Amino acid sequence: MTTTTTNTPVLARLGRLMVDTPLIPLTLILLALIAVLAILNPAILSMFWVGNTLKIAIPLAMLAACQTLTMLTGGIDLSVGTAATIAAYVTATATPLIGAPSAIGIAMACALAIGVVNGIGIAFARVHPLIMTLGTGLIATGCLLVYQRSVISTGTIYPEVLVWLGTGRTWGLPNGLFLFIPFAVLILWVQRRTGFGRLLYAIGSNEAAARLSGVRVWQVHLALYSLSGIIAGLSGLLYLGMVKTASLSLALPLDLPSVAAAVIGGTSIFGGRGGYGGTILGALILTVLATMLTLLQMPEGGRRILYGAIILAVTALYIRLTDRS
Amino acid sequence: MTTTTTNTPVLARLGRLMVDTPLIPLTLILLALIAVLAILNPAILSMFWVGNTLKIAIPLAMLAACQTLTMLTGGIDLSVGTAATIAAYVTATATPLIGAPSAIGIAMACALAIGVVNGIGIAFARVHPLIMTLGTGLIATGCLLVYQRSVISTGTIYPEVLVWLGTGRTWGLPNGLFLFIPFAVLILWVQRRTGFGRLLYAIGSNEAAARLSGVRVWQVHLALYSLSGIIAGLSGLLYLGMVKTASLSLALPLDLPSVAAAVIGGTSIFGGRGGYGGTILGALILTVLATMLTLLQMPEGGRRILYGAIILAVTALYIRLTDRS
Amino acid sequence: EGYKIGISNTVQGNGWREQMVCAMKAEALASGKVESLNIAHRNTDAAGQLEDIRNLIQAGVQAIVVNPSNSEGINSAIKEATDAGIVVVAVDQAVTEPSAYILSNNQEQYAYLGAKWLFETMGGEGAVVYMRGAAGAGADNDRDVGFKRAMAEFPNITIAQEVFTGWQQDQGKQQINDIIAAGVPFQGVWTSGIDNVIVDAFVESGAPLVPIVGADNAGFVGQLSSVEGLQGAAVTNPGSVGGAGVALAIQILDGQMPAEKTVLVDPALWENVTEEGKANLAAAANPNLSPEWPVSVSIDGWTTYTMDQIIACKGPGE
Amino acid sequence: MTPAPASPAAMLDARGVAKNFGAVVALRDASLLVAPGQIVALMGANGAGKSTFVKILTGALKPDAGQVRIRGQDSTVASPAGARRSGLVPVYQEPSLIPDLSVADNLRLGDTPVDRFRHWVSELGLPDLRQDAMIRSLPLAALRIVDLARALAVEPDVLLLDEMTAALPTNLVDRVLSVVRAQANAGRSVIYISHRFTEIAAICDRATVLRDGLTVGDLAIEPGIEDRIVEMMLGAGVAAAAATRNASRSSSQGTPRLKVRGLATGTRLTNVSLDLRPGEVLGVVALEGQGQDELFDVLAGNRRATAGTVEVDGKPMTFAHPADAIAAGLTLVPGDRAHALLMQRSVRENIALPLLARFANWGGISMREEQTRVGAAIERLQIDTRAQGEVRRLSGGNQQKVTIARWIAKGVQTLLLFDPTRGIDIRTKRQIYALVRDLADQGAAVLYYTSELAEVRLACDRAVVIFNGRVVDVMDAADADEPTLMRAAYGLTEKTPEAAGAVA
Ligand SMILES: Nc1ncnc2c1ncn2[C@@H]1O[C@H](COP(=O)(O)OP(=O)(O)OP(=O)(O)O)[C@@H](O)[C@H]1O
Ligand SMILES: Nc1ncnc2c1ncn2[C@@H]1O[C@H](COP(=O)(O)OP(=O)(O)OP(=O)(O)O)[C@@H](O)[C@H]1O
Ligand SMILES: [Mg+2]
Ligand SMILES: [Mg+2]
C-alpha cells in the first residue's frame, strides 16, 4: 500500500486558508495597494488621507451592501444608483418647500417604492433581477425627469445633518462612520445571525430545496429588494451630504463599482456564497485603487485600462485561490 | 373512477402553444404594436417606414445575436457595444491613412481581440462573464481613448461599401439586409443544426454534465466569445455606414437594448433556453416601440417610463405564459 | 519661469470637448507664459470633479480653468481654491460661486439666434421639429429659454415634434428618420448641435429638404455649401472658449482684472442663403477637422494660437 | 376499482387524485388508505406516478382533482409547511437540503429540534456527523440520512419516504428499515416507496399498487405475494420474463481492457488494483465512502490520481479530462444523474451529446443519422418518451435510462456503471442486466458498482470488494451471495493486500 504524500502544494494550502477566512487575502491585497501608494508618494499616508479614503469608500460600501445581499440569492440590484440619486435629488429640492424631515421622509419613501416594485416583479412576475432592476431604474429615471420639470425653480437646500455626516470630521475621521459602523454591524448581523440572512443563502444555493423546506420565496424576495431600496436611499442621502449637489446622475456612476466591490469581496454572482465583510474590503480596495490612479497622473485612457485590468486580475486571482476545491 | 375535467383554462393552453412555438406570441406582440402605431398615425404604414424600421433594427439584432449565443451558455457579453464602437472608430480613422480594406481588417482584428480576451478570462480564469466582459469593455475603452489621442487630426473617411450597406436601399428595402439575411440564416443554422450550437445549450443547462460527456468547455467558451467579438465588430462596421459618425461612444447605447432584445425574445439569462428567431423579433419590437414613443410626442421622462414599463410588461407576460407548471 | 495652470474637464470623447481641451493647450503654448499644464480630463460627475480640483490645489497650480459638471456641485472646491489665492475661471457653463470668473458661450442667445433665422426663413409660419440636447442638462435648459423667446415672437410657428437627442448622433438620426417616415408635416428643423446626421437622413431618404439650423460642426458646415438645395444656418458654439478661458486666467495672473466677473461670448450665425453668409461659411470650412469639431477654432480678441497649433493639440512641454 | 372502505380509523385517506402535466397524465385516479401504525408500500413501475402522489399529499404540487382526508377530516394541504402542521412529513426523492448552508443552519431553516435530530442521526448510523459540515461536502448517502433524521425529529404522524434507500449502501439500509419499523410500532404511519422487494417484504404491512396513474390494487404483504404485485404493476404477461442468470465465463487470458495498479487519490482511495477483460462484467462492492466514487472518477478522467497506473489495452494512460478517458473508450454513467443530464433539454439532445463533444464534430449535424442512432438507443432501453421535450419532466427511472442510452448511442468499449439501477423498477432492471450482458457478449468490458448486493449475482461475472480504499476480496459471482459480500465489505475477511491485489 502506497502512502499518499500529504505535502500539498503551497497554492492549494493558501487556497484553503482563503476559503475558510476570505478576509485575510483581501486585507493583504489592500495593504499591498497602500504600500504601493506609500512608495509612489511617501507623504500621502496621513490621518487626513485615511479619513478622506474612508469618507469616499462609505457610500460605495453601502451600495455594495445591496449587491451583496441580492447576490447571495443569485440576484443583483442595478437600480441602486438610481434609487440613491432620487433620494438625494428629492431631499435637496423638497427641503426648501416642506422642510428637511418631511423631505427626507418622502425621499426614503421613493427609494423604498423602487425596492418594492423590484421585489414584486422578481417575487411574483418572476422576472430576472438583472432585467427587473434595469427596468425599474429606467422607469425611475423617467419619473425623476418628470419631477425635475415640476420643481425646477425652487432651488436646493442640503439638510444640515446630512452635511454634517457627509463632510464633518471628528478626531480626524469622517462623521459618516457614525452612520456606517452601526449599519455595517447590522448588515453583518442580519447576514450571519438571523433567519432572514440564512434564507438568503438558502435561496441562492438551491431555491427548489428552500421551497420544499417550506420557505415562501416570494416573501424573502420582497423583503430583500425593499431592504435594498432603503439602503440605496440612505446611501443617496449620505452622498448628498458629501457632494452637496443635486444632480440627476449623482450616484449612477456607483452602480457598477458597487457590483465590483461585492465581487472582489468574494460574493458569488451565482448566489449562495460570500458575505458583507469581504465587500467592505472590496470597496476600500477600489477606493484606494482610484486614488492611486489619480496620483499616477494617468491620462483617462490609461486609468481605465489599469482599473479594468486590476479588477479582473484580483477577481481571477481570488477565484484561482479559492475555487480549486 | 372520477373523470378529470379536461377543459384546461385558456391561459394554460395559450401557454402551451407558446412553449412549443415561442415565435407566435412575439409576432402577435409585434403586430399589436404596429396596429397601435397605425391607429396613432395611419399615414405611417409605408414601404419607406418598413425599410427604415428594418434598417434601424439590424445592428441591434446583430448585437443581440452576441447576447443570445452567450446567454445560451448562461453568460452575457457586455463588451459588444465597445467592440462595435472600436471597430467603427478604427475603420473611420484608419481609412484615410491605409485605405479601407486594411482599416477594416485591423478593425475586425481589434474586435476579435476583445472577444479572445473575454474567452480566455472566462474559459481559463473562470471569471464570471458579466464581470469579465465589463472589465474588458473598460480596458478596451481605455485603449480607444489612447488611440484617439494619436489620430486626432487625421480626419475620418467612411468606406463606400459600408455606406452603401448602411444607407442604401434596393427596391425600398435597406441594403443592410444583404448582410443581415445571410447572417441570420447562418446563426440560426449554427444554433440549431451544428454540434457547436448544441454544446452552447448543453453548457448552459449543465456544465458538469457536458464535461462528463467529453466536452472541453474551455474550447466552447473561447470559440463563443471570439465569435461574439467578430459579430460585434461587424455590427459596428454596419452601424458606422449607417450613422456616418466616428464617435467614441457610437454603439455603447446599444449594449442594454441588445440584452433586452434577447430577453424579450425568450432567451433565458440562466442559460439553456431560447434561440435567435425570438431575438430578431425582440429587436424589431424594441425598434417599433422606440418609434412609437417618438410619435407619441412624449417628453423624455415619459418616454423612459413607458419604455421601461413596456419591456418589463412584455417580459413578465412572456414568463407568465410560458413558465407555469 | 512661467505659470502653472490646472485644467478640469468631465466629459471625454466628444468632439466639442476635445476641441476645448486642445484650445486650452494651444493657448497656453502660444502665450509663452505658461510653464506647465496640469490636466484632469476624464468622464466623471461633480463628486469626481471635486476630487480633481482638490488634487490640482495640492499640486500647487496658480490658476484653474474648469468646465463645471454642474452649476453648484463644485462650489466648495472652488471656494477652497480661491481662498488659497488661486484664480478660478469657469468656461462654457456658469457656476454660482461668486469668487470664480466665468467665461462662457451665451447659450440662450445661441438658441434665439438660430430659431429666429429659421422662423424668418420659413416665412413666419409652419411647424418646426425641435431637436433638443440632453434632458436636464444646464445648457439645454438655457437654450430652451432662448428658443421659446423666439417662438414668442412668431405666433404662427408651432412645434411639430419635440425630441431629446441626448446629443447622440445615432439617436438623433433614428428620431428624424421616424419623424420623416411617419409623415408628420413640418417646414423646418432646429437641432441642438446634432446636425450633419439630420441632413444625411434627408438625403438618404429622398425626403424634400427643409431649412435646418445646427451648430458650426465641421461636418454640417461642409454640408451647407455642398448639399444641393439645402437651406440652413450654423450657429457658432466654439469649443475654443477653453482657449479663451486660459487667456483670461493669464491676463488675471498678469494683473489685468476684467471689468466683469462674467464674460459671455456671443454666438454668430452663418447661413447659406445670402452671399455674405456663403462667404462666411467658405472662410470657416476646414476639411482638416474632424466632422464633430466646431469650425470656429478661435475667438477673436481672446485666443492667439494658430490653426496648426490647435490641430496639433500640444501644450507647453509636450 | 373497488373504493376502499371508509374507515374512521384511517390516518390518511386519499381518493380520486388526478394530476396532468400538460399532455402527460401523471395521475389518473389514485387512492391510498393508511391506518395508524401501518407501513404501506406504494409500488409502481417507473413513471407510474408515485413521486407525484407524494408531492400532492405533502402540498408540493396541487392536484387537478381528488380528495384527501387526514384523521377523517377533509383537508386541503396547500404547502409543505401546511402538510407539516397536519403531521405529514416527507423525505422526497431528491435531497431537499441547501448545499451552501451547514447542517445546523439547514435544521434552523426548518425549525427542526436539534437534540432529536442528533439522536436520530446516530440511530441511523452516522454518529459522527458534524453539525457544522457544509451540505455540499457530504456524500449522497449521508444527505439521505440527514433528510430522514430531519423528518423523524419532527415526530410526524405520517412519514412519507420516496425511494429513501435507493442510494444507500446495505448497512445503512438495514438501519433505516429497523428505525422505520420502530416508528410504526410506536403507532405512527409510514408510506414507503422502493423498488426493492426485500425491503417491502421486511417491513411493510400492505402494498398499494399504482399503474399508469391508477390505483390497481391494495393488498396485504405476505410470503409469495411478490409475483402478484409485479403482475399488477406491469400488467399481465410481462412479469413472467424472469431474469436469466448468465453463465460466468470470465477469461483470464489475453491483455485486459483495463489494468489498474496501486491507484490512489484524495484520502479515501488508497490502493486499488484490478483487471477488467473484454467480455467481462466486473462487479464492485463497497460500503458508503470506501473510495468507490473516487475510483470511478479517476477512471473517467474526472479527477486525477495521485499514485498508481492505469493501462488501457496494454497502453499506460493518464486522463486530464473526461474527454481523454472517452477517447480511450472509457465512459461513465455517474451515480448522481443530476451530474449527467441536461434537465431542460430534450431526450434526443441528451442522448446525442457525446456524439458532438469533440471539436471535429462541431460542424453541421446529420439529423437523419442522429435520429437513427438516438431512436435505436431509446428503443433498446425502452425509454418512456411521453415527456421527451424536457428530460426533467421524465420520471426518475426514465431519466436514469437516458444516462445509459447516451453511451449506447455512441458505442461502448468500456462502460463504467455507478449504481445504474438506482431508482429503476423491476422490469427495467432486468432489461438493464440483459443489456449489460449483451454489451459484454459483443466485446465490451463493464465495471459495475452496485449498492444492491443481490445484483452482483444477477449482472456480474466477478466481483471485487473495496474497503478502506483498497481491494480486500475478489470472488466469482457464483460465490457472491449477500452474506459473503457483506462480511467482505466490512473488511472481516480481508485477504492480504498482495493476494487480493494479485487476483483482482
Ligand atoms: N413536472 C413535470 N412535467 C411533466 N411531466 C411530469 C412532471 N413530473 C412528472 N411528470 C410525469 O408524470 C409521470 C409520473 O411521474 P412520477 O415521477 O410521479 O413517477 P414515479 O412513479 O415516481 O416514477 P419513478 O419511479 O421513475 O420515479 C411521468 O410520466 C413523468 O414523466
Ligand atoms: N439526481 C439523482 N441521481 C441519482 N440518484 C438520485 C437522484 N435523485 C434522487 N436519487 C435517488 O434515486 C431514487 C429514485 O429516484 P426517482 O426519481 O427515480 O424516484 P421515483 O420517481 O419515486 O422512482 P422511479 O424512478 O423508480 O419511478 C431516489 O430515492 C433517490 O434516493
Ligand atoms: Mg419517483
Ligand atoms: Mg421517479
Side-chain angles (χ1 to χ4, degrees):
Chain A
M1 182 174 151
T2 53
T3 24
T4 327
T5 43
T6 50
N7 91 49
T8 39
V10 179
L11 206 64
R13 241 188 303 161
L14 190 58
R16 214 153 322 122
L17 183 71
M18 295 183 67
V19 177
D20 297 342
T21 51
L23 299 190
I24 293 178
L26 286 173
T27 313
L28 292 180
I29 292 176
L30 180 60
L31 291 178
L33 278 178
I34 295 177
V36 172
L37 259 186
I39 293 168
L40 289 176
N41 181 353
I44 201 168
L45 291 188
S46 61
M47 194 62 196
F48 176 81
W49 178 80
V50 171
N52 205 34
T53 304
L54 287 178
K55 190 175 95 173
I56 296 174
I58 287 175
L60 179 60
M62 287 179 70
L63 289 180
C66 303
Q67 307 304 349
T68 308
L69 296 176
T70 51
M71 277 162 64
L72 285 181
T73 67
I76 196 165
D77 189 348
L78 294 182
S79 65
V80 290
T82 310
T85 303
I86 288 184
Y89 195 86
V90 169
T91 302
T93 51
T95 299
L97 300 173
I98 54 174
S102 322
I104 290 181
I106 292 177
M108 288 302 292
C110 293
L112 174 61
I114 294 175
V116 170
V117 172
N118 281 331
I120 290 174
I122 292 161
F124 299 112
R126 320 254 345 123
V127 178
H128 189 281
L130 184 75
I131 304 297
M132 188 68 210
T133 55
L134 280 176
T136 47
L138 202 61
I139 296 175
T141 318
C143 294
L144 185 59
L145 286 174
V146 171
Y147 170 81
Q148 179 238 7
R149 293 192 135 201
S150 68
V151 295
I152 200 142
S153 56
T154 58
T156 54
I157 293 182
Y158 312 116
E160 284 199 7
V161 52
L162 298 184
V163 173
W164 180 82
L165 272 179
T167 58
R169 289 181 183 242
T170 304
W171 303 314
L173 290 176
N175 289 340
L177 289 177
F178 288 117
L179 174 67
F180 183 70
I181 290 177
F183 170 82
V185 170
L186 182 74
I187 296 288
L188 283 168
W189 177 74
V190 165
Q191 166 218 316
R192 293 201 191 148
R193 293 292 163 84
T194 64
F196 179 67
R198 224 171 276 129
L199 289 181
L200 299 182
Y201 285 91
I203 289 175
S205 159
N206 186 345
E207 188 174 321
R211 218 179 277 275
L212 285 180
S213 312
V215 178
R216 288 184 205 275
V217 175
W218 67 265
Q219 291 177 340
V220 180
H221 276 144
L222 197 55
L224 170 63
Y225 285 90
S226 306
L227 176 65
S228 182
I230 292 177
I231 297 176
L234 217 53
S235 328
L237 294 184
L238 182 66
Y239 203 54
L240 178 70
M242 240 174 85
V243 179
K244 289 194 278 177
T245 305
S247 102
L248 290 180
S249 59
L250 187 69
L252 298 189
L254 292 184
D255 261 336
L256 291 181
S258 72
V259 176
V263 171
I264 289 179
T267 299
S268 162
I269 206 159
F270 296 113
R273 290 185 212 188
Y276 191 50
T279 302
I280 297 177
L281 287 171
L284 282 170
I285 288 175
L286 286 181
T287 309
V288 171
L289 191 58
T291 314
M292 200 168 96
L293 296 180
T294 305
L295 269 192
L296 282 178
Q297 285 266 26
M298 283 256 156
E300 178 67 7
R303 273 176 75 99
R304 292 205 197 177
I305 295 174
L306 255 184
Y307 195 75
I310 292 178
I311 288 177
L312 288 185
V314 170
T315 313
L317 183 75
Y318 193 86
I319 290 171
R320 172 127 232 122
L321 289 178
T322 55
D323 239 33
R324 39 172 45 214
S325 84
Chain B
M1 178 174 155
T2 51
T3 23
T4 326
T5 43
T6 49
N7 93 49
T8 39
V10 178
L11 206 64
R13 242 186 302 160
L14 190 58
R16 210 157 320 123
L17 183 71
M18 295 183 68
V19 177
D20 297 341
T21 50
L23 299 190
I24 293 178
L26 287 172
T27 313
L28 292 181
I29 292 176
L30 181 59
L31 291 179
L33 280 177
I34 295 177
V36 172
L37 262 184
I39 292 168
L40 288 175
N41 182 353
I44 200 171
L45 292 187
S46 61
M47 195 62 199
F48 176 77
W49 178 80
V50 172
N52 197 38
T53 303
L54 287 177
K55 189 173 95 172
I56 294 172
I58 288 175
L60 178 60
M62 287 180 70
L63 289 180
C66 303
Q67 308 303 349
T68 307
L69 296 177
T70 51
M71 277 162 65
L72 285 182
T73 67
I76 197 166
D77 188 348
L78 293 183
S79 65
V80 290
T82 310
T85 304
I86 288 184
Y89 196 87
V90 169
T91 302
T93 52
T95 299
L97 300 173
I98 55 175
S102 322
I104 290 180
I106 292 178
M108 289 302 294
C110 293
L112 175 63
I114 295 175
V116 170
V117 172
N118 281 332
I120 290 175
I122 292 161
F124 299 114
R126 321 267 327 132
V127 178
H128 188 281
L130 183 75
I131 304 296
M132 188 69 209
T133 55
L134 279 175
T136 46
L138 203 61
I139 296 175
T141 317
C143 295
L144 184 60
L145 288 174
V146 170
Y147 169 80
Q148 178 239 7
R149 296 193 133 202
S150 69
V151 294
I152 200 146
S153 55
T154 58
T156 52
I157 293 181
Y158 313 117
E160 283 199 8
V161 51
L162 299 184
V163 174
W164 180 83
L165 271 179
T167 60
R169 289 181 183 241
T170 305
W171 302 315
L173 290 174
N175 289 340
L177 288 176
F178 288 116
L179 175 66
F180 182 70
I181 290 178
F183 169 83
V185 170
L186 182 74
I187 296 287
L188 283 168
W189 176 74
V190 165
Q191 163 218 315
R192 294 201 190 149
R193 292 290 166 88
T194 66
F196 179 68
R198 285 279 185 81
L199 294 185
L200 299 182
Y201 286 96
I203 289 175
S205 16
N206 189 343
E207 187 174 321
R211 198 179 116 89
L212 273 183
S213 299
V215 180
R216 293 185 198 273
V217 176
W218 66 265
Q219 291 177 338
V220 181
H221 276 144
L222 197 56
L224 170 63
Y225 284 90
S226 307
L227 177 66
S228 182
I230 292 178
I231 297 175
L234 217 52
S235 327
L237 295 184
L238 182 66
Y239 204 52
L240 178 69
M242 244 174 81
V243 180
K244 289 196 277 177
T245 304
S247 102
L248 291 180
S249 57
L250 186 67
L252 298 189
L254 291 185
D255 261 337
L256 291 182
S258 73
V259 177
V263 170
I264 289 180
T267 298
S268 161
I269 207 160
F270 296 112
R273 278 189 227 187
Y276 190 50
T279 302
I280 297 176
L281 286 172
L284 282 171
I285 289 175
L286 285 180
T287 309
V288 172
L289 191 59
T291 309
M292 199 168 95
L293 294 181
T294 303
L295 279 189
L296 277 179
Q297 288 265 30
M298 284 259 154
E300 180 66 11
R303 266 179 78 97
R304 293 204 197 175
I305 296 174
L306 254 185
Y307 194 74
I310 292 179
I311 288 177
L312 288 184
V314 170
T315 314
L317 183 75
Y318 193 84
I319 291 171
R320 172 129 231 120
L321 287 179
T322 56
D323 238 34
R324 43 175 43 214
S325 100
Chain C
E1 181 65 4
Y3 299 124
K4 203 171 166 188
I5 293 182
I7 306 276
S8 168
N9 174 42
T10 59
V11 176
Q12 205 188 20
N14 152 320
W16 194 93
R17 295 277 182 137
E18 293 304 331
Q19 188 190 47
M20 179 187 83
V21 172
C22 289
M24 289 167 159
K25 290 181 176 179
E27 181 60 30
L29 185 65
S31 72
K33 294 180 179 169
V34 179
E35 180 196 336
S36 73
L37 278 183
N38 202 331
I39 303 179
H41 178 37
R42 60 168 171 148
N43 273 315
T44 184
D45 57 354
Q49 192 162 33
L50 280 174
E51 195 190 329
D52 286 348
I53 293 177
R54 296 202 170 109
N55 285 333
L56 291 174
I57 298 172
Q58 289 210 324
V61 297
Q62 289 145 298
I64 297 176
V65 182
V66 51
N67 188 333
S69 63
N70 182 305
S71 61
E72 293 181 1
I74 56 169
N75 282 355
S76 55
I78 293 178
K79 187 90 180 22
E80 282 168 38
T82 49
D83 285 352
I86 299 172
V87 173
V88 177
V89 179
V91 293
D92 185 33
Q93 321 195 45
V95 291
T96 52
E97 168 57 40
S99 60
Y101 294 88
I102 294 163
L103 194 153
S104 97
N105 290 319
N106 189 340
Q107 301 294 2
E108 189 183 326
Q109 190 63 16
Y110 168 94
Y112 175 76
L113 210 56
K116 186 157 173 273
W117 178 87
L118 178 65
F119 300 159
E120 278 167 358
T121 311
M122 288 164 63
E125 60 186 5
V128 62
V129 174
Y130 179 31
M131 305 190 77
R132 301 180 60 174
D140 185 72
N141 289 333
D142 291 346
R143 287 181 180 185
D144 189 45
V145 173
F147 186 85
K148 294 282 156 61
R149 181 147 62 88
M151 285 278 293
E153 294 175 12
F154 292 85
N156 293 330
I157 294 283
T158 56
I159 294 181
Q161 195 98 39
E162 174 175 344
V163 293
F164 286 86
T165 60
W167 282 308
Q168 302 279 347
Q169 305 269 10
D170 53 321
Q171 199 173 324
K173 192 163 185 187
Q174 176 174 348
Q175 286 161 340
I176 193 68
N177 269 325
D178 278 343
I179 293 167
I180 295 172
V184 178
F186 59 88
Q187 286 77 38
V189 179
W190 185 93
T191 81
S192 188
I194 297 301
D195 34 33
N196 53 331
V197 291
I198 304 296
V199 177
D200 282 344
F202 277 90
V203 173
E204 287 158 15
S205 69
L209 281 161
V210 296
I212 298 173
V213 171
D216 60 335
N217 299 322
F220 183 59
V221 169
Q223 284 170 334
L224 283 179
S225 36
S226 65
V227 175
E228 194 74 23
L230 172 65
Q231 281 195 343
V235 185
T236 58
N237 178 38
S240 39
V241 279
V246 169
L248 176 63
I250 295 171
Q251 278 181 23
I252 297 169
L253 290 174
D254 284 345
Q256 305 163 350
M257 297 296 164
E260 294 280 341
K261 280 223 135 167
T262 298
V263 181
L264 287 183
V265 177
D266 274 322
L269 182 138
W270 309 327
E271 31 71 32
N272 67 355
V273 181
T274 64
E275 286 310 317
E276 185 199 347
K278 283 187 185 154
N280 277 334
L281 281 170
N286 184 342
N288 288 334
L289 291 180
S290 145
E292 282 198 70
W293 268 39
V295 291
S296 44
V297 289
S298 57
I299 298 180
D300 284 346
W302 287 103
T303 60
T304 57
Y305 49 77
T306 65
M307 176 75 80
D308 288 340
Q309 275 175 321
I310 184 170
I311 289 181
C313 198
K314 294 258 190 294
E318 270 186 63
Chain D
M1 58 161 281
T2 44
S7 148
M11 184 67 227
L12 179 74
D13 182 1
R15 291 176 194 214
V17 176
K19 175 80 188 171
N20 297 336
F21 294 102
V24 178
V25 181
L27 289 178
R28 214 178 290 278
D29 176 12
S31 317
L32 181 66
L33 183 72
V34 188
Q38 250 187 0
I39 305 183
V40 175
L42 187 57
M43 316 259 333
N46 291 136
K50 305 178 295 294
S51 304
T52 307
F53 203 3
V54 167
K55 285 187 187 144
I56 286 172
L57 290 175
T58 54
L61 283 177
K62 278 200 186 24
D64 297 336
Q67 180 193 38
V68 179
R69 296 168 73 90
I70 299 173
R71 293 183 210 86
Q73 307 264 285
D74 262 346
S75 119
T76 42
V77 171
S79 67
R84 191 172 143 156
R85 278 194 296 277
S86 307
L88 270 63
V89 177
V91 174
Y92 293 116
Q93 55 190 142
E94 319 86 17
S96 55
L97 296 158
I98 311 295
D100 287 313
L101 292 180
S102 65
V103 174
D105 280 343
N106 267 282
L107 295 180
R108 272 185 220 122
L109 204 59
D111 288 328
T112 310
V114 178
D115 288 342
R116 271 184 266 152
F117 172 81
R118 271 211 199 100
H119 164 78
W120 285 117
V121 171
S122 57
E123 195 78 354
L124 287 166
L126 292 182
D128 40 9
L129 179 87
R130 290 175 51 126
Q131 300 272 320
D132 59 357
M134 286 301 246
I135 291 294
R136 76 162 61 252
S137 67
L138 296 179
L140 188 56
L143 295 185
R144 305 306 290 158
I145 297 297
V146 170
D147 251 338
L148 177 58
R150 194 168 64 148
L152 288 169
V154 183
E155 306 197 323
D157 296 332
V158 184
L159 190 59
L160 300 98
L161 305 179
D162 190 355
E163 296 199 37
M164 164 69 218
T165 51
L168 294 188
T170 313
N171 56 331
L172 289 179
V173 172
D174 291 344
R175 295 281 200 136
V176 169
L177 293 183
S178 61
V179 164
V180 170
R181 189 64 250 176
Q183 287 286 305
N185 292 344
R188 305 209 162 96
S189 309
V190 181
I191 295 169
Y192 191 85
I193 299 176
S194 170
H195 290 293
R196 298 175 182 169
F197 279 100
T198 47
E199 295 173 7
I200 307 291
I203 58 164
C204 296
D205 302 306
R206 286 178 30 243
T208 293
V209 183
L210 278 179
R211 186 170 75 225
D212 295 339
L214 208 66
T215 297
V216 292
D218 181 0
L219 13 92
I221 300 289
E222 50 202 35
I225 196 82
E226 177 171 332
D227 286 343
R228 276 209 44 214
I229 294 180
V230 172
E231 194 182 308
M232 278 186 166
M233 273 169 50
L234 305 180
V238 186
T244 47
R245 251 293 289 144
N246 43 79
S248 160
R249 15 154 223 136
S250 63
S251 51
S252 49
Q253 60 273 47
T255 1
R257 170 65 53 74
L258 186 63
K259 183 171 166 189
V260 176
R261 290 293 176 270
L263 205 62
T265 191
T267 53
R268 292 234 181 87
L269 185 68
T270 50
N271 180 9
V272 162
S273 304
L274 52 81
D275 286 342
L276 176 63
R277 293 172 200 289
E280 182 184 43
V281 183
L282 177 61
V284 175
V285 171
L287 300 176
E288 181 59 29
Q290 301 303 312
Q292 67 271 38
D293 307 71
E294 288 82 355
L295 173 64
F296 275 72
D297 270 352
V298 169
L299 292 180
N302 204 19
R303 190 174 172 154
R304 296 233 194 194
T306 48
T309 57
V310 176
E311 285 180 20
V312 178
D313 292 327
K315 283 189 286 293
M317 297 267 179
T318 45
F319 304 137
H321 189 280
D324 298 335
I326 291 167
L330 271 62
T331 51
L332 172 72
V333 174
D336 188 344
R337 57 180 166 262
H339 292 168
L341 292 174
L342 315 174
M343 286 294 180
Q344 45 192 342
R345 305 306 302 173
S346 65
V347 170
R348 177 180 179 148
E349 282 190 46
N350 269 276
I351 294 179
L353 179 57
L355 303 175
L356 309 168
R358 287 175 50 236
F359 183 71
N361 299 337
W362 281 13
I365 301 169
S366 154
M367 298 306 268
R368 192 164 317 145
E369 193 198 322
E370 183 185 275
Q371 181 57 45
T372 318
R373 283 217 203 185
V374 169
I378 290 177
E379 186 66 24
R380 189 143 181 202
L381 282 151
Q382 304 205 324
I383 298 173
D384 171 2
T385 51
R386 278 181 302 168
Q388 62 174 317
E390 281 181 288
V391 159
R392 74 192 165 108
R393 298 184 195 278
L394 297 185
S395 81
N398 281 301
Q399 292 178 3
Q400 187 70 30
K401 292 187 203 171
V402 172
T403 63
I404 303 175
R406 164 183 292 171
W407 299 114
I408 304 293
K410 166 116 163 114
V412 285
Q413 292 170 24
T414 311
L415 194 54
L416 309 170
L417 295 173
F418 196 92
D419 226 5
T421 58
R422 206 176 256 187
I424 282 192
D425 69 35
I426 182 154
R427 171 176 45 181
T428 316
K429 270 183 189 165
R430 288 173 187 162
Q431 287 164 356
I432 287 181
Y433 303 149
L435 176 78
V436 168
R437 177 52 49 202
D438 261 11
L439 293 174
D441 286 345
Q442 288 158 21
V446 182
L447 195 65
Y448 191 116
Y449 168 77
T450 175
S451 59
E452 205 176 332
L453 299 184
E455 282 196 337
V456 171
R457 302 184 70 174
L458 292 171
C460 306
D461 300 316
R462 286 189 306 146
V464 297
V465 181
I466 297 180
F467 175 71
N468 216 353
R470 56 187 195 276
V471 174
V472 292
D473 206 346
V474 182
M475 60 186 83
D476 230 40
D479 310 328
D481 55 7
E482 288 184 53
T484 314
L485 285 172
M486 204 60 199
R487 273 197 305 280
Y490 273 108
L492 300 176
T493 57
E494 183 171 359
K495 303 181 174 159
T496 61
E498 294 71 31
V503 277

